Every structure is written in C-alpha cells, then in structure tokens.
C-alpha cells in the first residue's frame, strides 16, 4: 500500500523533530548559516502546521537565495569544524526540503 503524502509528512516532521542541531559559536560563517537555517525551519514549521490543519500552502521560501549563499560560504571553508557543521546543517536542511516538498504535494492534491 502506498503511503499518503500527509502520512509521509507526519513521519518526516517526527524525524526532523528528533534531530538536534546545536547553535554554533566557533565561527561567523557557521553562525550565519545557522541563523538562515533557523529562519527556513520556522517557515517550514509554520507551513507544516497549516498542512496538518487541512490548509496546506504551496509557497516557496522567500529567502531561499540567502540560505543557499550562507550554506555555500560555509561549504567553501577549509576548517574541519566548519565542514563538520556544514554536513550536519545540510542533512537537516534536506529533511526540511523534503517536508516542504510534501506540503506542496498535499496542496496540489487539494486543488485537484
């Protein structure tokens, strides 16, 4: 049996909430990327709540370019701690990307 997008969304939200990402204090690049990630996470969380309440909004993140730039600057760092944090942040971001894609799918299904 194929799992519905709403059921997948619930599972992804639980998976995202079990992941913990400590706020960095060791470098400005990490801090900037973390702040951009937190803003993205807040956006996805708000849209997740709306989707779970039956009002999904297929809206793209308005500050995507800022987030991507901060992530790329961090990825370009040669410091091992920065690279480790980048990988953690990238994994967390991919989970949020999946959640947002599911919200878009649910919103499209609601229009059908």
């Amino acid at each position: 049996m194929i799992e519905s997008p709403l059921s997948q969304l619930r599972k992804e939200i639980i998976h995202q909430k079990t992941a913990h990402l400590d706020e960095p204090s060791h470098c400005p690049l990490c801090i900037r990327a973390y702040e951009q990630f937190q803003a993205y996470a807040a956006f996805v969380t708000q849209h997740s709540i709306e989707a779970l309440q039956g009002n999904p909004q297929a809206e793209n993140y308005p500050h995507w370019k800022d987030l991507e730039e901060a992530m790329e600057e961090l990825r370009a760092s040669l410091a091992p701690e920065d690279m480790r944090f980048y990988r953690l942040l990238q994994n967390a971001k991919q989970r949020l990307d999946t959640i947002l894609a599911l919200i878009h799918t649910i919103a499209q299904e609601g229009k059908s």
Side-chain angles (χ1 to χ4, degrees):
M1 182 173 176
I2 296 176
E3 195 172 23
S4 74
L6 188 57
S7 178
Q8 290 175 358
L9 176 63
R10 287 186 184 109
K11 286 182 179 180
E12 287 296 329
I13 290 170
I14 291 168
H15 182 68
Q16 174 67 18
K17 293 300 177 190
T18 61
H20 180 70
L21 191 61
D22 291 326
E23 184 173 356
S25 60
H26 63 279
C27 82
L29 291 176
C30 294
I31 293 168
R32 180 172 178 262
Y34 181 79
E35 289 171 350
Q36 290 293 328
F37 171 80
Q38 287 299 101
Y40 181 48
F43 176 87
V44 172
T45 298
Q46 180 59 41
H47 282 72
S48 297
I49 292 167
E50 292 168 358
L52 292 172
Q53 292 174 341
N55 187 28
Q57 303 296 316
E59 185 178 339
N60 293 321
Y61 181 56
H63 305 288
W64 187 257
K65 184 178 176 186
D66 296 332
L67 174 62
E68 287 297 310
E69 285 175 3
M71 294 289 292
E72 282 303 309
E73 287 175 5
L74 180 58
R75 188 176 70 82
S77 174
L78 300 176
E81 316 85 51
D82 295 356
M83 287 307 301
R84 184 186 77 69
F85 189 73
Y86 169 79
R87 285 190 298 276
L88 292 171
L89 202 60
Q90 182 64 23
N91 287 339
K93 181 184 163 297
Q94 287 172 345
R95 287 191 296 271
L96 292 177
D97 293 346
T98 299
I99 291 170
L100 194 57
L102 286 167
I103 294 167
H104 284 221
T105 299
I106 294 166
Q108 289 300 324
E109 286 180 353
K111 290 181 180 180
S112 302

